[in-house]
Amino acid sequence: MDSQKPIAVLKAAAPGSQTEDSSYTSGSSTISEMSGHEVLAEVQVVDVDILSVHLEQETSTKKQQATSPLGTLRLDQCKLYGREEHIASVQDGLFRVKQKRLNQKLNATLEFVLISGPSGSGKTAVATSIQQDVEQSPSGVYLQGKFDLAVQKEPYTAFATALQDLCCQASDVLGKEAFGQFQDEIMKNLDALELHLLHGIIPSMSHIAPLSMEESTEFFDSIKSEDQQNRLHYGFLKFIRVASAAFCPLVIFLDDLQRADVSSLELIKVLISDQVHTNLMIIGTYRSNEVNANLSTMIQDLRTQSNRKSSTEQFSTEQFQLPGRGSKERFSTDKFQLPVRGSKERFPTEKFQLPGRGSKERFSTEKFLLPVEGSRRQLLLPKRSSTSTLMVSSEEILATSNFLTLTELSLGNLTVKDVRQITMDLLSLTDESIATPLAQILQRRTLGNPNFLKTLINVLHDDNLLSFNVGTMQWTWDLDEIEKSSFATDNVVDLTRGAIQRNASEEMKQLLLCVACLGNICEEKYIGLVWQKSSAGDTSESLLQQLLKQAVKQMFLEQIGTSQFRYCHDAVKEAVISLIPQDEFDALRQRIGGILFEELTEEELEAMLFLVADLLHNSDRMDSKLSQLLLRAAEKAKGVSAFSSASFYASYGIKRMQNMCQGDGHLGVKLHSIAAEAERCLGNLTQAKLLCEAIIGQNCVPNIEKMQAHKILIDMLWNEEEDFEISLNYSLDCMGETIDCHFPRGKAGQALGALRAIKYMKMEKSIPSVKEINALPQMTDTSRLFGMELMSMATYSAFFAGKPTLMLMLLTRRIQWSFQYGFHASMAPAYATMASAFMHALGDWERGRKMAKVAVQIVERAKELGVAGNSEQEVLYRLHFLVNPWTQPARSLSNQLIDGYKTCMLHGDVQCAFNVIGVYIFNHLLSGKELNDLEANVQSYKPQMAALKYDKFGFFIGLVGQAALNLMGRTEHTTMIDGIDENLNRQLWHQAQFVKRFLFAHFGEYKAGAQNSIKVGNEWLKSYPGVYFGYDAFHQAICLYGEARQIAQKQGNSCAPTLSTSQLPLYRKHAYKNHALIDSWVKKGGPNHVHHLSILDAERAALLSCTQMSHDACNLYEKAVLDSIDGGFVNHAALTEERFADYLWGVDARAEGIHHLENAIKLFSEWGALKKVEQLRERHAIWKVNDSLAKSQKDIMVRQRRQSLRSNH
């Protein structure tokens, strides 16, 4: 080296020593060297576990430094300066998670930290700064997952990696007993369908919840694609809920969100909308210069959710109870309970085994994270900034908490000061003046990018521009040489590529290229396989081991465990890929994909299916084998509801085929069908239609194989366009053209056909016995099977298109075909629908009951044959909604409805499940069960409906919940219901009117109820008879009779028709009409309307004697009260007592009236209607005063008469 050039020389400090100016911590608060008095003056009290981790990290780091060889650049141990505030913010989030576990008053919220910055800015270092803190907690788990560029179409990759890790280490972290409890909670709260869906993404779920082959396939075929995605996300949600209650804290780090697939971003949206995460923290990182539209939308959703306050009224964790239980117990972190699988045993976190990773010591909040006896220890740490959450009390957190706390961190470039600190740490420098010139050059060359900086320092060291002289114990460098040689590059990729080109052997370069093709984490055996098969020259095992060790040493790769490797940084991977032209790298990917496709076992190929498909999808080969592989990938993606990925793989599979009918099993049809279904679910209806039409237009495709395409087109008309008339006509045209099955289109022809259908269904042979049902052979003719499917879809369209006559013809044809061509499960829902039609349209309840019984028997046969499909849930819905409420006692329906809900959920029919649970909720309100339980059920099911994107059902039970809250006095309103406007669709608007009339009747607002009844009346009953309407007719009649009697009493006459006002006949007419309707139901055997009829009989008698007591009216009221109580309808018993009291008071039987008003108060209290009780107590007080005044006035008049008589005498 030229002696004239300025040389910086410094004697090295002892390895591992610290200077007075520098301080070192690994990812935590800085602990400066201060005197004891200075510490005591500057400290605050914090949790012991935080400091213990800091001290352990510092001790471990110093030991590593002390044993490092002289002249070694400890880049992996270097503290990341310039990120202290960012790291502190992440620590604050972790502190809040722990604090909420300690203080049960705090709302259980989700901590979400979003870290952005350019590549190499230290996002991962900031995110992992709390890892050791978390893992030092006895039950803490820190999970990491990365979205990889090489497999961007593989769905849920980061979640799969993270949760795979959780499943594998759960037993070790929790210990045997607590792990058993964790398994029990998983099995109780996730049903077989949800477990099946999760197993498809997280194979190691088998460590927690093994799934048999029967469970894996039993229910999967009948689930709708949209429901499948929602159920998968809901299964994820429930799994995370249970896990976040078991592990404290649970931290999930998702790296490189800018590469996340659409399904993963949708899942994040689901997670952030939930309010029941107990100890969960999610950290996400993304490159700020690579934000795509999907990620931008997700970030905006995060910001929106973080501004929403937790609902302490409806969604507090202390009261949260999920569906399927009917239990009075509320959700709490002490008794963790989730929906489905009805064990009564709860998840006791106060006994959950946490400390010591496997120790037998129990968890308690008094000994949180401290496996020691006695009270909680406290230690001293230096004070932090006033903005730190560590300075915030639990009360302050409670006052400001949302159910999502979002922390956004943006990482910029390091300053010269930060670079100088890093340089001084690496070179053990003490003099800033010596380090500053070098730091200025490094900062200028790298723009302060941390990864770029470390790479440049490493390159300088490798090129001997920065060296350590062992003889003189000095670091030396030449500033001028560094200025000249600090490569003129704007990014770390170019710099790293240059270093690899100079220092790596050809064998090393080839190995690194192979690793770049194998995803984020690579198994050593697969690295060896593709390297040996794709490389020339020496490919021995010994050379492979040597190259892998060298790659780790040179910080190209890092080793995970004993046999897995990954790139140290994305920049290294990108640099390796850029070593060769893009077309050569693409060719290498295809070659490696071909090697894996040919060499892997079937089990290995299934595990790496998405990777192999990604490597091969763009191949130029016109190969049916490749199309078959892509079909498998598409089916697997669709199986986990990753519709974007499914469409991608299927589309490329189609491109690899010469024609649609190529290959066995009409591979092209399957690919087109999956692509069409995926595009429909993604909302790309035009593309879905084109794919379906491509299938339908192929003469080589049998009609039965076109069925899926027809179903997709009909579904699009039915759901997306809501054009039931066109959907119906399409179905009828399809039946006529493909299987020569025709139905009349004109009204006259349809009316005649309906009469013939009714005549057939009235014949005795249309009600088969169990023996006859079991004797039917299965339908096997493909054209008939195709026709049955089309008729099933056409039946729905006819119903909603308002074509009842055509619907009857379609139902009857399905039943006739089953007897003529063989047993088919769809005859079960046909019989169930016919049962409703006979009961409500034809008035033949007896025949309707028989048909309902046949429907159940057919379902049992279909289940025995394994061909039930979705027939069971369709029958359950129809019977529970349209038949059973009219034929079975209301109180006996609750268990049946819950069982029906579970069955529908298990089969994946979410719509049917929520229809059934809607009946359950409304039946609960109408049948007089406790309102507190009703409120808990609404709070349970409504969030589930929102999570599964069935908001219209949530709206309805929300109406019921509001009614319950009004009655309970939990709102300021009586009959007012939020969210009702003219923009609601017809069905929801009518449901809102049912609820309003219910409230009008119970709160005594008879005029409003009577006017509403006359205005909308029983319009909905004519088209859609069901559970609501029988009760609604009763509540209408109560309002009409009530208002009519008030008008008559004001007139002060006997209510003779000739003396009535113009309104009185109108109210009386409509009251009598509803009265007669209920009378007809009772005569037909309706068990739930007997007490209704008794009450209305009393009301009619009271109306006819409203100014003079009638013993008949009194006797009828007494009977009505007894009938209501015998039926279990405490609400209607209370209402009857109130109406009786009003009648008695009106005819001047005041003492008796007060007595019955007191009875009403007791019964309303028993029901839980405290607002109504308050209303009646006010009336009771007024009546008591008026009664006393009347008695006093009467006594005065009696005394006056007596005095007058004495005077006259």
Side-chain angles (χ1 to χ4, degrees):
M1 186 177 293
D2 192 339
S3 60
Q4 299 302 316
K5 294 178 181 178
I7 298 176
V9 180
L10 182 73
K11 184 174 181 180
S17 66
Q18 295 292 315
T19 67
E20 292 180 358
D21 298 328
S22 66
S23 56
Y24 183 84
T25 46
S26 177
S28 298
S29 302
T30 301
I31 303 176
S32 303
E33 293 187 7
M34 297 185 291
S35 68
H37 293 292
E38 289 174 321
V39 172
L40 290 175
E42 294 292 326
V43 297
Q44 63 173 348
V45 177
V46 299
D47 289 330
V48 62
D49 57 308
I50 296 177
L51 181 58
S52 63
V53 171
H54 292 176
L55 297 176
E56 184 173 324
Q57 290 173 351
E58 186 167 334
T59 302
S60 174
T61 301
K62 288 183 177 181
K63 287 180 179 179
Q64 291 174 3
Q65 292 173 341
T67 57
S68 299
L70 291 174
T72 300
L73 287 174
R74 298 180 299 273
L75 293 170
D76 58 331
Q77 300 172 15
C78 179
K79 178 185 175 182
L80 183 60
Y81 287 95
R83 300 290 183 250
E84 292 83 1
E85 288 298 320
H86 303 94
I87 290 172
S89 296
V90 179
Q91 290 174 331
D92 289 349
L94 179 62
F95 176 82
R96 285 192 293 270
V97 171
K98 292 182 177 181
Q99 193 71 6
K100 290 180 176 104
R101 179 63 177 254
L102 281 169
N103 190 339
Q104 298 297 317
K105 293 181 180 179
L106 299 176
N107 291 327
T109 63
L110 167 64
E111 289 286 337
F112 203 112
V113 180
L114 202 56
I115 306 172
S116 64
S119 176
S121 57
K123 300 183 293 295
T124 301
V126 172
T128 57
S129 62
I130 60 169
Q131 182 172 357
Q132 284 186 291
D133 286 14
V134 172
E135 293 177 348
Q136 285 293 324
S137 301
S139 64
V141 175
Y142 189 97
L143 307 173
Q144 298 186 55
K146 183 179 179 69
F147 295 103
D148 189 62
L149 184 63
V151 283
Q152 259 187 291
K153 289 300 178 181
E154 180 174 350
Y156 307 109
T157 49
F159 282 103
T161 302
L163 296 179
Q164 281 269 96
D165 189 25
L166 175 67
C167 295
C168 292
Q169 63 175 302
S171 178
D172 294 335
V173 173
L174 297 176
K176 184 176 180 180
E177 184 177 347
F179 178 67
Q181 294 177 345
F182 177 56
Q183 285 181 301
D184 290 343
E185 288 303 310
I186 292 293
M187 296 301 294
K188 278 191 287 185
N189 294 298
L190 278 79
D191 61 31
L193 175 59
E194 290 160 344
L195 287 173
H196 167 80
L197 292 170
L198 287 180
H199 272 260
I201 298 171
I202 315 168
S204 61
M205 274 285 290
S206 57
H207 296 313
I208 297 174
L211 196 64
S212 68
M213 185 57 65
E214 291 76 14
E215 288 178 307
S216 298
T217 59
E218 185 178 357
F219 311 117
F220 194 68
D221 291 339
S222 61
I223 185 173
K224 298 177 184 176
S225 296
E226 303 93 324
D227 287 342
Q228 177 184 317
Q229 183 180 48
N230 295 335
R231 289 299 300 278
L232 172 65
H233 288 172
Y234 194 55
F236 260 118
L237 191 68
K238 292 197 285 185
F239 179 77
I240 294 295
R241 284 177 182 174
V242 178
S244 67
F247 299 93
C248 179
L250 174 63
V251 180
I252 302 176
F253 169 34
L254 304 173
D255 198 7
D256 282 336
L257 287 171
Q258 78 278 359
R259 296 171 180 163
D261 58 287
V262 175
S263 301
S264 294
L265 295 178
E266 287 294 325
L267 178 56
I268 292 173
K269 291 179 186 178
V270 171
L271 292 176
I272 64 176
S273 66
D274 190 44
Q275 304 187 25
V276 198
H277 300 304
T278 310
N279 309 295
L280 179 62
M281 181 178 188
I282 297 177
I283 304 174
T285 63
Y286 66 94
R287 294 184 182 181
S288 52
N289 59 332
E290 297 182 21
V291 178
N292 54 50
N294 292 324
L295 177 58
S296 178
T297 301
M298 190 276 289
I299 293 172
Q300 188 56 49
D301 287 345
L302 266 172
R303 291 168 181 163
T304 301
Q305 292 285 4
S306 69
N307 292 324
R308 289 175 54 194
K309 292 289 184 181
S310 298
S311 171
T312 55
E313 175 68 30
Q314 294 187 358
F315 295 106
S316 67
T317 55
E318 294 178 353
Q319 293 185 333
F320 198 95
Q321 178 190 352
L322 281 170
R325 294 297 193 277
S327 167
K328 297 180 182 179
E329 291 198 60
R330 302 292 185 266
F331 174 95
S332 72
T333 52
D334 292 331
K335 295 183 177 180
F336 193 86
Q337 178 80 4
L338 285 170
V340 188
R341 300 205 177 191
S343 170
K344 297 180 180 178
E345 196 167 345
R346 303 299 177 126
F347 194 56
T349 54
E350 76 277 6
K351 294 183 179 180
F352 196 86
Q353 186 173 335
L354 294 175
R357 296 198 179 230
S359 73
K360 294 183 178 180
E361 192 159 355
R362 300 289 187 175
F363 172 89
S364 70
T365 55
E366 290 76 20
K367 298 189 291 181
F368 185 63
L369 301 180
L370 299 173
V372 294
E373 294 293 336
S375 62
R376 189 172 165 225
R377 290 183 291 164
Q378 297 175 326
L379 286 182
L380 305 175
L381 280 182
K383 282 186 180 178
R384 302 184 57 182
S385 67
S386 60
T387 59
S388 169
T389 308
L390 288 172
M391 297 290 288
V392 180
S393 67
S394 298
E395 289 71 21
E396 290 173 305
I397 296 175
L398 177 61
T400 60
S401 78
N402 298 343
F403 71 81
L404 168 67
T405 302
L406 174 63
T407 303
E408 291 193 72
L409 306 175
S410 180
L411 307 189
N413 292 326
L414 301 179
T415 64
V416 172
K417 179 182 177 181
D418 299 325
V419 175
R420 183 176 63 223
Q421 287 292 336
I422 293 173
T423 305
M424 293 175 68
D425 270 8
L426 283 172
L427 306 180
S428 299
L429 302 178
T430 58
D431 190 340
E432 290 185 0
S433 63
I434 296 177
T436 298
L438 177 60
Q440 289 173 337
I441 295 175
L442 295 176
Q443 200 275 344
R444 186 169 64 252
R445 292 295 188 189
T446 64
L447 300 178
N449 182 280
N451 186 55
F452 198 172
L453 173 66
K454 290 183 180 181
T455 303
L456 179 57
I457 291 173
N458 199 39
V459 168
L460 293 175
H461 184 256
D462 289 343
D463 291 349
N464 292 319
L465 294 174
L466 179 65
S467 59
F468 185 78
N469 190 317
V470 179
T472 61
M473 299 291 287
Q474 294 174 336
W475 282 100
T476 63
W477 62 90
D478 189 309
L479 294 177
D480 288 345
E481 287 293 323
I482 291 174
E483 279 278 19
K484 293 178 182 179
S485 305
S486 293
F487 316 93
T489 175
D490 293 330
N491 61 73
V492 68
V493 173
D494 292 341
L495 181 63
T496 306
R497 181 177 64 244
I500 295 172
Q501 287 173 331
R502 291 191 305 275
N503 301 322
S505 65
E506 288 303 316
E507 292 85 356
M508 172 67 77
K509 293 175 186 176
Q510 187 62 32
L511 180 71
L512 293 175
L513 282 166
C514 290
V515 174
C517 296
L518 293 178
N520 180 38
I521 299 177
C522 315
E523 290 284 347
E524 182 180 331
K525 67 175 181 178
Y526 301 129
I527 296 173
L529 172 65
V530 299
W531 180 66
Q532 291 166 358
K533 294 285 184 179
S534 64
S535 303
D538 185 8
T539 56
S540 63
E541 181 68 23
S542 60
L543 180 58
L544 173 65
Q545 295 297 325
Q546 179 183 341
L547 291 173
L548 287 172
K549 289 179 181 178
Q550 187 179 349
V552 172
K553 183 178 180 181
Q554 291 182 285
M555 297 182 66
F556 298 142
L557 302 178
E558 61 182 5
Q559 187 168 357
I560 306 170
T562 58
S563 62
Q564 292 181 320
F565 295 85
R566 68 182 174 194
Y567 275 97
C568 289
H569 195 277
D570 284 343
V572 181
K573 186 173 187 177
E574 292 168 19
V576 168
I577 293 172
S578 68
L579 288 173
I580 58 177
Q582 186 62 45
D583 58 344
E584 290 185 27
F585 182 68
D586 291 341
L588 175 64
R589 281 172 53 85
Q590 292 177 22
R591 191 159 67 250
I592 288 175
I595 292 168
L596 293 173
F597 188 35
E598 297 297 333
E599 298 293 333
L600 294 179
T601 65
E602 186 63 26
E603 184 178 350
E604 290 172 330
L605 180 59
E606 181 62 26
M608 301 177 68
L609 184 60
F610 291 124
L611 172 63
V612 178
D614 281 339
L615 292 171
L616 289 174
H617 77 272
N618 212 18
S619 171
D620 294 331
R621 294 163 49 191
M622 302 299 288
D623 186 350
S624 61
K625 282 189 175 180
L626 177 55
S627 292
Q628 186 68 46
L629 173 74
L630 291 168
L631 173 63
R632 286 180 60 181
E635 289 175 333
K636 186 171 182 178
K638 180 176 175 288
V640 293
S641 310
F643 300 119
S644 178
S645 300
S647 175
F648 174 83
Y649 293 124
S651 298
Y652 273 96
I654 293 169
K655 291 179 182 179
R656 304 281 77 78
M657 299 193 66
Q658 295 176 353
N659 58 72
M660 186 177 296
C661 297
Q662 176 186 346
D664 295 335
H666 299 294
L667 181 60
V669 175
K670 294 179 181 178
L671 285 165
H672 278 77
S673 296
I674 288 181
E677 178 70 6
E679 293 292 347
R680 185 185 73 81
C681 293
L682 292 169
N684 303 325
L685 304 186
T686 301
Q687 183 62 24
K689 185 178 180 181
L690 290 173
L691 288 162
C692 290
E693 290 173 347
I695 298 173
I696 294 168
Q698 292 291 326
N699 294 327
C700 62
V701 179
N703 284 331
I704 192 65
E705 291 193 19
K706 296 178 181 179
M707 185 66 233
Q708 183 62 23
H710 287 302
K711 288 179 68 174
I712 293 170
L713 288 173
I714 293 170
D715 277 345
M716 285 195 294
L717 291 169
W718 207 83
N719 291 314
E720 277 77 11
E721 300 180 27
E722 293 191 349
D723 198 328
F724 307 119
E725 186 81 33
I726 295 177
S727 172
L728 174 61
N729 289 331
Y730 180 90
S731 301
L732 296 177
D733 290 342
C734 187
M735 282 187 280
E737 293 171 6
T738 58
I739 57 173
D740 199 28
C741 177
H742 301 277
F743 289 87
R745 303 298 181 94
K747 290 184 178 180
Q750 290 177 1
L752 182 60
L755 289 174
R756 289 172 179 165
I758 292 169
K759 182 178 179 180
Y760 174 82
M761 294 306 299
K762 284 185 175 182
M763 297 170 65
E764 283 305 314
K765 68 177 182 180
S766 68
I767 307 294
S769 65
V770 175
K771 184 177 179 181
E772 290 172 326
I773 293 171
N774 292 336
L776 288 173
Q778 277 190 259
M779 186 180 292
T780 56
D781 185 279
T782 55
S783 62
R784 301 301 172 186
L785 291 169
F786 178 60
M788 291 293 277
E789 292 283 350
L790 283 173
M791 282 191 283
S792 295
M793 290 186 287
T795 304
Y796 284 103
S797 299
F799 176 77
F800 285 100
K803 306 280 187 181
T805 53
L806 184 55
M807 186 184 74
L808 285 173
M809 293 173 63
L810 287 161
L811 291 169
T812 305
R813 186 75 59 89
R814 286 159 62 183
I815 292 170
Q816 289 173 332
W817 274 27
S818 295
F819 287 122
Q820 188 175 355
Y821 300 113
F823 178 87
H824 194 278
S826 71
M827 67 186 296
Y831 265 104
T833 309
M834 272 293 187
S836 171
F838 266 77
M839 288 182 64
H840 302 297
L842 303 177
D844 191 342
W845 283 35
E846 183 60 32
R847 193 124 190 119
R849 288 189 183 95
K850 290 180 180 179
M851 290 179 175
K853 186 177 180 180
V854 171
V856 174
Q857 292 166 347
I858 293 170
V859 168
E860 293 303 316
R861 171 83 194 286
K863 289 166 68 176
E864 289 174 6
L865 296 173
V867 295
N870 59 357
S871 63
E872 182 178 10
Q873 52 268 31
E874 288 188 30
V875 168
L876 286 171
Y877 164 60
R878 284 161 177 72
L879 296 186
H880 287 320
F881 189 74
L882 301 170
V883 177
N884 293 347
W886 303 83
T887 60
Q888 298 182 26
R891 288 207 160 225
S892 70
L893 293 175
S894 294
N895 290 337
Q896 293 181 41
L897 291 167
I898 287 296
D899 290 342
Y901 157 79
K902 291 179 180 179
T903 299
C904 293
M905 288 295 283
L906 196 60
H907 285 77
D909 194 335
V910 180
Q911 181 173 347
C912 174
F914 288 153
N915 271 313
V916 172
I917 217 61
V919 177
Y920 169 76
I921 293 287
F922 207 62
N923 181 69
H924 192 136
L925 177 69
L926 299 174
S927 61
K929 295 184 178 180
E930 289 186 29
L931 291 174
N932 280 325
D933 291 346
L934 173 62
E935 182 207 7
N937 278 321
V938 171
Q939 290 181 9
S940 300
Y941 291 103
K942 190 174 180 181
Q944 186 186 24
M945 291 171 178
L948 294 175
K949 300 180 181 179
Y950 277 82
D951 293 328
K952 72 175 183 179
F953 294 99
F955 174 83
F956 169 64
I957 72 164
L959 293 175
V960 178
Q962 284 191 62
L965 291 174
N966 287 4
L967 285 163
M968 295 164 66
R970 300 280 289 277
T971 69
E972 297 178 355
H973 310 304
T974 52
T975 59
M976 192 174 110
I977 297 290
D978 296 328
I980 302 176
D981 57 51
E982 296 299 327
N983 294 324
L984 288 174
N985 68 41
R986 182 166 171 252
Q987 182 179 2
L988 293 178
W989 188 84
H990 275 287
Q991 289 173 349
Q993 301 312 306
F994 304 151
V995 176
K996 291 196 73 171
R997 288 192 288 270
F998 168 86
L999 290 172
F1000 287 144
H1002 283 82
F1003 277 109
E1005 296 186 19
Y1006 303 129
K1007 183 175 182 179
Q1011 291 175 344
N1012 182 285
S1013 300
I1014 292 170
K1015 183 178 179 180
V1016 297
N1018 293 320
E1019 174 189 342
W1020 194 246
L1021 176 60
K1022 296 174 184 176
S1023 302
Y1024 305 106
V1027 64
Y1028 318 122
F1029 311 103
Y1031 292 88
D1032 184 55
F1034 167 72
H1035 293 130
Q1036 288 185 45
I1038 286 292
C1039 291
L1040 290 161
Y1041 273 127
E1043 182 60 17
R1045 198 165 84 196
Q1046 286 183 356
I1047 292 172
Q1049 286 175 337
K1050 287 177 182 177
Q1051 285 183 320
N1053 57 48
S1054 63
C1055 306
T1058 56
L1059 299 177
S1060 61
T1061 65
S1062 60
Q1063 290 294 317
L1064 184 57
L1066 181 64
Y1067 290 146
R1068 188 167 51 206
K1069 172 186 172 182
H1070 283 278
Y1072 289 171
K1073 183 178 178 181
N1074 282 284
H1075 193 157
L1077 186 61
I1078 291 173
D1079 184 36
S1080 70
W1081 294 336
V1082 172
K1083 288 176 179 176
K1084 292 173 183 176
N1088 296 314
H1089 304 294
V1090 173
H1091 71 291
H1092 289 161
L1093 183 60
S1094 297
I1095 296 169
L1096 296 183
D1097 286 344
E1099 285 293 308
R1100 181 169 182 168
L1103 176 61
L1104 295 173
S1105 59
C1106 59
T1107 58
Q1108 185 175 1
M1109 182 183 290
S1110 164
H1111 291 294
D1112 288 341
C1114 293
N1115 290 336
L1116 287 171
Y1117 271 121
E1118 295 286 1
K1119 178 179 181 298
V1121 171
L1122 292 175
D1123 286 347
S1124 299
I1125 292 174
D1126 288 345
F1129 297 90
V1130 64
N1131 55 333
H1132 290 153
L1135 182 61
T1136 306
E1137 288 282 12
E1138 181 192 4
R1139 297 292 300 146
F1140 191 11
D1142 281 343
Y1143 170 71
L1144 292 169
W1145 186 265
V1147 296
D1148 209 28
R1150 298 189 172 189
E1152 292 88 342
I1154 291 172
H1155 169 71
H1156 285 283
L1157 189 65
E1158 290 170 350
N1159 287 347
I1161 290 172
K1162 291 177 183 177
L1163 290 168
F1164 276 120
S1165 297
E1166 183 181 336
W1167 188 30
L1170 301 183
K1171 184 81 168 184
K1172 181 65 180 179
V1173 169
E1174 179 185 337
Q1175 184 187 73
L1176 293 184
R1177 282 177 176 161
E1178 291 176 0
R1179 191 190 310 176
H1180 182 266
I1182 294 171
W1183 281 13
K1184 291 284 282 185
V1185 171
N1186 290 342
D1187 187 43
S1188 298
L1189 290 174
K1191 286 181 178 179
S1192 300
Q1193 187 66 32
K1194 187 175 181 180
D1195 290 343
I1196 291 171
M1197 291 175 64
V1198 169
R1199 285 197 298 270
Q1200 288 175 345
R1201 280 201 304 271
R1202 287 175 179 172
Q1203 289 175 357
S1204 176
L1205 288 171
R1206 288 196 191 99
S1207 299
N1208 293 334
H1209 181 71

